[in-house]
Amino acid sequence: MDTLLIHALNSLLYAAVLFLIAGGLSLIYGVMRIVNLAHGNLFAFGAFVAAWTVGRLVGGPTPTPLLYLVLLAGPFVAAALGAAIEPTLLRPFYKRPEEYQLLITFGLQLILEDLVRLIWGPYPLTVSSLYEGMGSLNIGESIYPTYNLAVIVVGGLAAAGLWAFIYRTQFGIVLRATSQNMRMAQAMGVNVNRVYVQAFTLGCFMAGLGGAIVVPQQGAVLGMGVDALILAFVVVVIGGLGSLEGALIGALMVGVVRELGITFFPEVELAVLYLMAAGVLLVRPAGLFGRA
Amino acid sequence: MAAEVSRRDFLSRLGVTVGAAATAASVPLVGAPALIERAHAQPKGNIPDTPYKVGHMTFFTGAAAVLGEPSYKGHILAAEEINAQGGLLGKRKIETIKADEAAGTDANVKEMRRMKLSEKIDLFTGVISSGNTPALGPEAESLKLLTIFVDGCTDFLFDKAVLNPHYIFRITNMQSADGVTAAVATAMTWPKVRRIAHIHPDYSYGRNAFAHFNIVMKKMVPGAQVVSEGWPKLGTTDFTSHITKAIAAKPDLLVASVWGGDYVAMYKQALRYDMFKKMKFTSMIAFGVAPHAIGKDHPEGVIAGVHSNYYFNYPPQDRWPLNSAFVKKYLDRWKEYPNFQSEGAYTTLMLLKQTVEKANKLTGGWPDDEAIISQLEGASISGPAGYLHIRPDNHQGYKDAMTGFSVNSPDYPFQILDPNRIITIPIRNITAPPGWPAPSGEDTRTYTWIDKTWPTVKL
C-alpha cells in the first residue's frame, strides 16, 4: 500500500512539472497556431533565473520562507522574455507559411541556449537548501521529501487556475474565441494582437514556473531545455496539440507510464514513452483530445 | 577455470595500493623536478615559423559542457604555455580552432574533414563522447590526420573501429577501467556487500560500467547479486523514481556511473531520502565533474570515482611538482580547479611538444607526421597525473587507474577526494594485454580477458 502510494506520488510529481511545460506549449499553439520550439528554453531560462536569484540570497538575511517566493523571479523573467519576443520576432511571420515560424523559433532556441551558457557558464546551478528546508514525511517505512508534495500541489493549482481562467473569465472567452476563429474574433472587435501577446506571455510564464519549481530539487543544467521540449512534445502528441485537457491527461499518462517503466522494465525506460506516443498516434492521429 | 585465491592475495597481485604512503611506490619521484627545469635545447635545422594548427573538438553546449569546458581550458593553458616559449621548437605557435561536439556524430565527422581540408589543421584533438571516437577514428585514418583524442574512452575504438591505428592516439584510460577500478575498490573496502543496486545512464558508458563492474564482482565477491537496475536517459535530473526503486530493493550497496549535472541532481535528491545512510555507495565518475560542482553536502566516505584518471590533489602536490605547478597555473588562469579532462587536454599538448622535440633531434628541421608518430608510439611522459605511457600496439595511453573516498576539508569550499586514502591500480593489471584477441560480440577485450583469466576469490 505504501509502495503504491509512493509510486503514485512519483508519477504525480513528474506529471506536475510536465503539465506546466506542455500546458504552456499547448496553450500557445491553441491560440496562435505556433509550434514554439524555443518553449523548452524558456523553461530552462526560468530555472536559471530562479537558481541564480535565490543563490544570491541564500545565507543572507532573507528569511527562508521568502526565498520560496523569490523562485517566482524565474516565471516572471520568462514571461517578460515572452512579452518581448512575440511582438518583435513572431508577429512579422504570422502571414508567412508555417515553416518560417518553425525556423524562427528554432533559431530562438539556439540563441537562448547560448545565452544561458554565456550568462551562467557551463556548470550546474543548485539551491538545494530549499529542497532540504522542507524536510521529509514518513510514509510507512519510507520517507518522502515534502518539497515533492509542494511541487505536486503547485502543478495541481496551476491546472485548476488555468482552467478557471480560460473557462470562467471574460479574458478566457476572448481567448477561446480567438483560438476557434481568429478572423471572426477580429471582426467582432477583439484586439487579436493583444490576445496573442497575452497568450504567449502566459505560456512562457507557465514554462518559467515549471523551470523555477524544479530548481530546488534538480538544479539548473545546460541542455535541460531541449530535454523538456522533447518530453512536452510527447505529452502534446498524446493529448492533442492545442488542448489543455489533453496536456493534463497526457502529462498524467506519461508520469504513470514512466514510473511503471522504471519499476518493472528498467531496460526500456527510454523507449516506453515513445512507444506510447506511437500507439496513440496510430489510433488517434490528432491525439486523444485533438480537434483535427 | 583458474584457481581460487584469497581476496588479500588477489589484491596484492593486482598491485592495488591505498593512501598517501603508497605514492612513493606507485609514483617514483627521483628526477621529476628536473623535468620541468630542463634547459630549452636549441632545435636542429631550420624550423618554419608558420603556426601549428590544432583542431580541438569538445562540448561547448548542452549538459556535457561541464566536461567540455575543462577540456578546452586545459588545452588553452598548455597552448599558451608553449607559445610563451616561442611555440613548438621555439618557432611554431599553436593556433587552436575549436568545434562544438554537441553538433552530433555525423556533423562531427564532416567538421573533422572540413578542418583537415579547408583549415589545413596539423593535429586533431579533444572529443569527450564515446559515441564519437568510433566514427572519428576511422575518418582520421582515411584523412591521414594526426589525432590525439583526449577522451571518448570507449574500448571499442581500438577493439573494433580501428584495429590497427596509425594516425590516431588516445590519452585517457579506457572506459572498462572505470567499472573495474570501482569494483576492485568496492571488493577491497566492503567485501561483505551482497545485494547491489545499480543506476547508470542509458548509453554506452553506463552499459560498459555496469558490465565491467559485474564481471569483476563475480571474481572478487562471489555471491554478490544485482537486486535493482535503473537506466535513466542521459540528461535526466529527476531521479525520484530511480531512488525510491533502489531503496525499496534494500541493497547493501548502490553503484552509479551517472555524471555531471545529472549526478549533482541525483546525489542531492538521494540525500533527502537518507539513501546514503541506508547503503554503501560506489561511483565511477562522481568527482569527474569540475571539483567545485560538488557541494559540502555530498556524502563523505563513499567511493567517488574520477573516471579512473585524475583528481587535482593526487599525486600529492608537495611530492609531485608537476601536479602542483599544473594546479596552480590552472587556478591562476581560470579561477577554478582542473578535472581529469583539463589534465588530459593539457598533457596531450605537452606530449606533442615532447615528441616533436625528440623527433627533431633525430631528423633535424620540422619532423613530418611519420617521424612524430614513430616517436609517439611507446612514448612516456611525466604529466600532472603521473607517468603516462603510450602503448605502441594500440596507441592507447596508459596511466595508473585511480579512485578514492570523499571527504570534507576546511581547505576547500567543496568536497574533495581524501588525499590519504587514494586507491591506485597499475593499469596493465586491469586491461587486456597486447595481443589479446578482440572478441566478436558486444564484449570488450578486457571483459573477456578478465572472464577467462582472473581467478575467483574463495569465501
Side-chain angles (χ1 to χ4, degrees):
Chain A
M1 191 60 213
D2 300 336
T3 326
L4 204 64
L5 182 60
I6 293 219
H7 284 317
L9 287 175
N10 288 350
S11 312
L12 281 175
L13 172 70
Y14 202 71
V17 176
L18 263 187
F19 171 73
L20 286 172
I21 310 168
L25 183 72
S26 219
L27 175 77
I28 289 169
Y29 181 83
V31 176
M32 303 162 69
R33 296 284 174 262
I34 277 197
V35 177
N36 180 18
L37 294 178
H39 195 72
N41 291 84
L42 286 152
F43 160 80
F45 211 87
F48 273 91
V49 167
W52 183 82
T53 321
V54 175
R56 296 294 94 184
L57 300 173
V58 161
T62 321
T64 309
L66 215 60
L67 288 179
Y68 290 97
L69 287 178
V70 174
L71 283 175
L72 288 173
F76 279 107
V77 170
L81 209 57
I85 288 169
E86 196 278 338
T88 50
L89 289 174
L90 298 182
R91 198 169 292 170
F93 291 90
Y94 290 142
K95 294 209 166 68
R96 304 249 191 135
E98 279 169 1
E99 48 268 36
Y100 285 87
Q101 297 160 9
L102 286 180
L103 274 178
I104 194 105
T105 56
F106 183 64
L108 197 59
Q109 173 196 330
L110 298 177
I111 291 169
L112 286 176
E113 181 77 29
D114 269 3
L115 198 63
V116 164
R117 191 191 178 289
L118 199 71
I119 301 174
W120 290 288
Y123 305 120
L125 300 185
T126 57
V127 284
S128 56
S129 56
L130 294 191
Y131 184 60
E132 290 293 312
M134 282 198 177
S136 298
L137 300 170
N138 286 311
I139 299 179
E141 276 182 26
S142 325
I143 59 174
Y144 198 81
T146 317
Y147 186 82
N148 291 4
L149 288 180
V151 172
I152 295 170
V153 169
V154 171
L157 286 178
L162 206 60
W163 179 85
F165 189 59
I166 286 173
Y167 289 99
R168 290 286 180 271
T169 66
Q170 185 77 30
F171 175 74
I173 294 172
V174 172
L175 203 67
R176 281 182 289 143
T178 313
S179 157
Q180 277 169 14
N181 192 327
M182 185 265 276
R183 284 175 188 285
M184 183 59 85
Q186 203 163 22
M188 303 293 280
V190 170
N191 184 343
V192 170
N193 277 349
R194 205 172 69 196
V195 173
Y196 273 17
V197 75
Q198 284 163 338
F200 195 77
T201 307
L202 182 60
C204 292
F205 182 87
M206 286 178 66
L209 182 62
I213 206 170
V214 300
V215 154
Q217 185 211 1
Q218 302 173 24
V221 295
L222 285 184
M224 68 190 292
V226 178
D227 281 336
L229 180 75
I230 293 169
L231 282 167
F233 269 122
V234 172
V235 168
V236 297
V237 157
I238 291 169
L241 197 52
S243 155
L244 280 177
E245 299 90 328
L248 185 61
I249 300 298
L252 286 169
M253 285 174 66
V254 166
V256 170
V257 169
R258 177 177 183 266
E259 180 71 17
L260 292 174
I262 289 172
T263 311
F264 299 110
F265 317 100
E267 293 280 333
V268 293
E269 178 194 330
L270 257 177
V272 75
L273 295 183
Y274 301 100
L275 284 175
M276 178 172 65
V280 169
L281 281 183
L282 279 176
V283 183
R284 286 186 66 99
L288 295 177
F289 291 81
R291 283 179 290 181
Chain B
M1 193 69 206
E4 292 196 330
V5 295
S6 77
R7 188 176 289 111
R8 179 172 301 210
D9 287 347
F10 198 160
L11 288 166
S12 83
R13 266 197 229 171
L14 281 177
V16 181
T17 60
V18 191
T23 55
S26 57
V27 183
L29 299 168
V30 185
L35 283 169
I36 3 177
E37 301 298 330
R38 189 173 52 194
H40 202 71
Q42 283 298 313
K44 265 173 41 177
N46 278 331
I47 311 297
D49 57 3
T50 47
Y52 187 84
K53 288 191 174 183
V54 179
H56 189 94
M57 176 181 284
T58 194
F59 284 94
F60 290 102
T61 56
V66 295
L67 295 182
E69 178 99 355
S71 172
Y72 184 67
K73 285 175 172 169
H75 171 89
I76 291 296
L77 184 69
E80 287 175 354
E81 206 176 309
I82 292 166
N83 289 346
Q85 298 166 9
L88 295 167
L89 297 177
K91 287 276 199 171
R92 297 192 70 182
K93 290 244 163 79
I94 291 174
E95 192 181 300
T96 302
I97 301 163
K98 59 178 181 175
D100 188 356
E101 194 179 341
T105 305
D106 291 346
N108 291 341
V109 169
K110 283 186 193 135
E111 175 61 13
M112 174 188 249
R113 205 177 302 147
R114 189 195 70 82
M115 280 182 164
K116 165 74 177 173
L117 301 176
S118 315
E119 307 277 357
K120 309 258 185 291
I121 54 168
D122 299 287
L123 170 78
F124 182 88
T125 184
V127 185
I128 304 277
S129 169
S130 284
N132 287 325
T133 42
L136 290 168
E139 182 68 16
E141 289 288 337
S142 76
L143 287 168
K144 300 188 192 311
L145 171 60
L146 179 63
T147 295
I148 308 178
F149 292 123
V150 170
D151 197 0
C153 58
T154 175
D155 297 57
F156 293 135
L157 172 61
F158 297 122
D159 277 8
K160 289 209 161 60
V162 184
L163 279 169
N164 294 300
H166 185 70
Y167 292 94
I168 64 170
F169 296 82
R170 184 168 57 190
I171 290 283
T172 50
N173 278 331
M174 269 188 291
Q175 205 165 57
S176 52
D178 279 23
V180 176
T181 305
V184 170
T186 302
M188 187 171 74
T189 315
W190 302 307
K192 294 206 167 69
V193 294
R194 289 297 177 272
R195 299 174 58 80
I196 302 177
H198 287 263
I199 301 180
H200 302 285
D202 192 4
Y203 75 113
S204 59
Y205 177 70
R207 299 272 166 193
N208 182 299
F210 180 69
H212 289 87
F213 186 91
N214 288 342
I215 186 68
V216 173
M217 288 303 273
K218 196 176 114 191
K219 299 289 184 180
M220 300 189 78
V221 189
Q225 50 165 331
V226 176
V227 295
S228 168
E229 287 178 42
W231 295 98
K233 180 174 109 51
L234 186 61
T236 296
T237 46
D238 176 12
F239 289 93
T240 311
S241 309
H242 304 94
I243 289 168
T244 48
K245 180 187 178 191
I247 290 177
K250 301 204 187 314
D252 310 318
L253 173 77
L254 171 71
V255 180
S257 61
V258 174
W259 56 268
D262 298 14
Y263 177 70
V264 175
M266 189 184 103
Y267 91 70
K268 283 180 183 286
Q269 288 162 44
L271 281 176
R272 197 87 293 279
Y273 287 89
D274 283 346
M275 192 177 205
F276 302 112
K277 291 180 190 156
K278 293 175 177 154
M279 62 197 79
K280 315 276 188 229
F281 177 49
T282 294
S283 156
M284 283 80 186
I285 191 169
F287 280 17
V289 66
H292 59 272
I294 300 293
K296 290 233 173 193
D297 56 347
H298 189 275
E300 290 187 276
V302 303
I303 295 175
V306 287
H307 200 25
S308 61
N309 272 283
Y310 169 79
Y311 193 72
F312 76 90
N313 64 4
Y314 188 87
Q317 302 192 5
D318 51 341
R319 305 175 67 173
W320 187 248
L322 283 170
N323 193 29
S324 33
F326 169 68
V327 172
K328 185 177 182 314
K329 279 184 286 195
Y330 193 93
L331 190 59
D332 286 347
R333 177 70 176 83
W334 303 112
K335 314 293 172 229
E336 62 188 44
Y337 287 90
N339 76 344
F340 73 89
Q341 300 287 14
S342 323
E343 196 273 343
Y346 180 87
T347 304
T348 299
L349 280 192
M350 288 304 164
L351 175 65
L352 173 78
K353 173 178 182 290
Q354 173 188 299
T355 308
V356 166
E357 285 165 4
K358 248 164 80 183
N360 165 265
K361 274 205 195 100
L362 295 170
T363 60
W366 180 262
D368 61 14
D369 280 355
E370 290 305 319
I372 294 176
I373 287 167
S374 77
Q375 293 307 307
L376 271 175
E377 291 179 336
S380 279
I381 184 169
S382 326
Y387 291 122
L388 171 80
H389 172 66
I390 303 290
R391 232 165 81 167
D393 62 321
N394 66 0
H395 287 195
Q396 168 67 43
Y398 280 74
K399 60 175 176 279
D400 285 357
M402 67 167 285
T403 187
F405 298 86
S406 55
V407 73
N408 279 325
S409 154
D411 301 336
Y412 298 97
F414 45 82
Q415 194 167 92
I416 58 167
L417 279 192
D418 187 343
N420 297 314
R421 291 177 77 197
I422 300 287
I423 296 174
T424 62
I425 314 169
I427 191 76
R428 65 177 182 281
N429 292 348
I430 56 164
T431 36
W436 187 264
S440 52
E442 288 299 297
D443 295 336
T444 66
R445 274 182 169 131
T446 293
Y447 186 93
T448 57
W449 172 71
I450 290 174
D451 194 24
K452 291 193 175 130
T453 68
W454 281 29
T456 304
V457 163
K458 62 171 179 277
L459 291 171

